[in-house]
Amino acid sequence: DSSVNHKDEL
Amino acid sequence: MNVFRLAGDVSHLVAIIILLLKIWRSKSCAGISGKSQVLFALVFTTRYLDLFTVFISVYNTVMKVVFLALSYATVYLIYMRFRNSYNSENDTFRVEFLLVPVIGLSFLENYAFTPLEILWTFSIFLEAVAIMPQLFMITKTGEAESITTHYLFFLGLYRALYIANWVWRYHTESFYDLIAIVSGVVQTIFFCDFFYLYFTRVLRGRGKMTLP
């Protein structure tokens, strides 16, 4: 789910 | 990682370093909104709580530590080291008008109702409005030193580059993060008025940016 991805952005 | 996001992170780092160096070398924080800097330190604190629990890459971890360290150093310089040069009489924006809606919205609109997600969402929404006290201070004093405008330029540019990064990622990975995108667009729109003044006044070699 998208909540996992955004952690790779500062 | 893509060139837009890398350029955005570099622009963000440049902005923070410009401000920190300006305060350190001039030994003064005149014209700088301490409230905005506190809000930015809060943005990094609530966004990077996963610093020790999730490892993405060396770059990711190093940049998070650097952003946290530099933002707290800036707040320290303003409120401790050079507090006698802090224009508290001009830094009067009511930050509660920012915090209350941002806190409310992060409870309403988030990807998961967990502490980490709500705090991350809070940091995203807060970042969109964190520059308000600084822009308000400039309108109140009617001017800004050119170095402060360069700080604001790179700060505004960073999220504009992130928008390009999101377009690129949607186009290449079909990835999109709606909360970050909507908030990032709002944040960049808030800078538009400043960008106009920056390009029409500061870059004309006028030194100080004086508002009409």
Side-chain angles (χ1 to χ4, degrees):
Chain A
D1 67 328
S2 70
S3 69
V4 176
N5 297 335
H6 63 63
K7 291 299 187 299
D8 71 323
E9 292 189 343
L10 289 175
Chain B
M1 176 56 81
N2 58 64
V3 64
F4 301 110
R5 184 142 67 95
L6 191 58
D9 291 339
V10 168
S11 180
H12 196 183
L13 186 61
V14 164
I16 294 173
I17 290 173
I18 283 178
L19 183 66
L20 194 56
L21 278 185
K22 173 210 184 295
I23 296 175
W24 177 254
R25 283 168 50 184
S26 67
K27 303 247 177 294
S28 160
C29 57
I32 303 298
S33 165
K35 292 183 176 181
S36 275
Q37 297 313 312
V38 168
L39 291 179
F40 282 123
L42 187 59
V43 164
F44 291 134
T45 307
T46 52
R47 187 174 303 179
Y48 299 158
L49 292 171
D50 63 351
L51 181 61
F52 304 109
T53 56
V54 175
F55 178 77
I56 307 273
S57 68
V58 174
Y59 170 82
N60 189 275
T61 303
V62 167
M63 288 297 270
K64 284 177 176 177
V65 170
V66 166
F67 281 162
L68 278 166
L70 295 185
S71 63
Y72 276 97
T74 304
V75 170
Y76 165 76
L77 290 187
I78 292 172
Y79 285 101
M80 314 283 258
R81 197 80 166 58
F82 305 123
R83 67 180 170 283
N84 48 23
S85 66
Y86 170 51
N87 305 134
S88 55
E89 69 284 354
N90 286 332
D91 194 8
T92 55
F93 194 95
R94 307 285 298 279
V95 289
E96 55 272 28
F97 291 166
L98 300 177
L99 288 169
V100 171
V102 161
I103 291 170
L105 199 58
S106 54
F107 274 94
L108 280 178
E109 192 59 46
N110 50 62
Y111 291 128
F113 206 77
T114 62
L116 214 55
E117 274 304 312
I118 288 178
L119 284 168
W120 177 84
T121 309
F122 167 78
S123 83
I124 291 288
F125 292 150
L126 182 61
E127 188 186 8
V129 294
I131 200 60
M132 282 297 132
Q134 180 64 67
L135 296 179
F136 177 78
M137 188 175 195
I138 289 176
T139 54
K140 191 167 181 188
T141 56
E143 65 177 15
E145 288 178 57
S146 65
I147 193 79
T148 308
T149 62
H150 299 317
Y151 155 71
L152 289 168
F153 170 71
F154 285 106
L155 192 65
L157 179 66
Y158 127 73
R159 215 59 182 173
L161 288 167
Y162 254 70
I163 293 172
N165 150 65
W166 291 320
V167 170
W168 180 263
R169 291 190 76 177
Y170 181 70
H171 177 71
T172 53
E173 315 163 26
S174 344
F175 161 88
Y176 66 92
D177 178 344
L178 215 47
I179 288 178
I181 291 171
V182 172
S183 188
V185 168
V186 167
Q187 178 172 335
T188 306
I189 289 173
F190 283 146
F191 274 88
C192 286
D193 175 42
F194 163 76
F195 281 143
Y196 171 75
L197 289 171
Y198 183 75
F199 288 117
T200 57
R201 291 172 188 271
V202 177
L203 295 192
R204 285 273 165 77
R206 290 270 186 95
K208 266 184 193 295
M209 178 175 89
T210 50
L211 297 186

